[in-house]
């Protein structure tokens, strides 16, 4: 497909081949029906994501703007070839610390952030430890990373809201470092203690009969 004008989408676009041209791509609508999943090559002069989601494991070539309310959700490594401006949100999956086990953004251009939320989702029963780190963002230059709010989630991870982490950047890119993980649940420890006391009491009763 070739586009040399203005291509406005309010639905679902799934690309595993090539979308080319020197036009403008605009994603307008918000909600689950508005998404661009690119696992191929998508080239335009500029991209404007005003809502919905954008992701996949392919490449976007052209300057990109992510508006507030839009969500970037890479399935592996999403590559942006051009300057990247964002006030939107990000959802990044983490299944381990090794290469290929977490999603990331590779930006061959300058990255500028002016607010938004980053949700790191731990999958595949992975439980992080203090000191675990991920280089989740590569860019030629990064500004405004400290304007992002970060949070954590994981279906098999109790008290994920108590995980703490810092995002920093240097000449290698943007990093997430885990600084705190939740202690074992007090409630779970109490139940385990009560179970042990019950076992001891039962043993004592058995001995005295």
């Amino acid at each position: 497909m070739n586009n040399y004008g203005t291509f406005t989408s309010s639905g679902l676009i799934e690309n595993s081949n090539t979308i080319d041209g020197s036009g403008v791509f605009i994603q307008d609508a918000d909600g689950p029906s508005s998404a661009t999943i690119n696992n191929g090559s998508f080239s335009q002069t500029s991209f404007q994501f005003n809502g919905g989601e954008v992701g996949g494991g392919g490449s976007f070539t052209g300057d990109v703007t992510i508006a507030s309310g839009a969500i970037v959700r890479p399935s592996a490594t999403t590559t942006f070839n051009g300057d990247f401006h964002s006030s939107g949100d990000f959802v990044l999956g983490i299944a381990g610390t090794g290469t290929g086990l977490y999603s990331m953004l590779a930006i061959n251009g300058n990255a500028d952030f002016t607010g938004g939320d980053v949700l790191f989702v731990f999958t595949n029963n992975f439980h992080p430890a203090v000191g675990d780190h991920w280089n989740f963002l590569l860019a030629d230059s990064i500004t405004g990373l400290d304007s992002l709010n970060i949070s954590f989630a994981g279906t098999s991870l109790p008290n994920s809201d108590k995980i703490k982490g810092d995002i920093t950047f240097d000449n290698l890119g943007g990093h997430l470092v885990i600084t705190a993980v939740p202690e074992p649940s007090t409630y779970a420890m109490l139940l385990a203690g009560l179970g042990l006391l019950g076992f001891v009491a039962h043993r004592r009763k058995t001995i005295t009969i």
Side-chain angles (χ1 to χ4, degrees), residues 111-134:
D112 175 40
F113 299 92
T114 54
D117 299 326
V118 183
L119 175 64
F120 294 98
V121 180
F122 298 106
T123 63
N124 200 30
N125 295 320
F126 175 72
H127 289 215
V130 172
D132 284 349
H133 59 90
W134 298 268

Side-chain angles (χ1 to χ4, degrees), residues 133-202:
H133 59 90
W134 298 268
N135 192 15
F136 69 93
L137 171 65
L138 301 175
D140 293 347
S141 69
I142 302 172
T143 57
L145 199 62
D146 56 352
S147 70
L148 298 174
N149 301 308
I150 65 173
S151 58
F152 303 92
T155 55
S156 64
L157 196 61
N159 299 323
S160 57
D161 60 322
K162 293 182 173 60
I163 298 174
K164 304 298 180 184
D166 290 333
I167 52 175
T168 60
F169 71 96
D170 56 24
N171 60 340
L172 296 177
H175 312 276
L176 166 69
V177 180
I178 299 298
T179 58
V181 294
E183 295 295 328
S185 169
T186 302
Y187 180 70
M189 293 176 67
L190 177 61
L191 287 178
L194 290 174
L196 179 60
L197 287 174
F199 174 75
V200 171
H202 176 74

Side-chain angles (χ1 to χ4, degrees), residues 4-21:
Y4 298 97
T6 299
F7 180 5
T8 301
S9 172
S10 58
L12 172 63
I13 294 177
E14 294 182 290
N15 174 49
S16 58
N17 203 324
T18 300
I19 301 176
D20 204 355

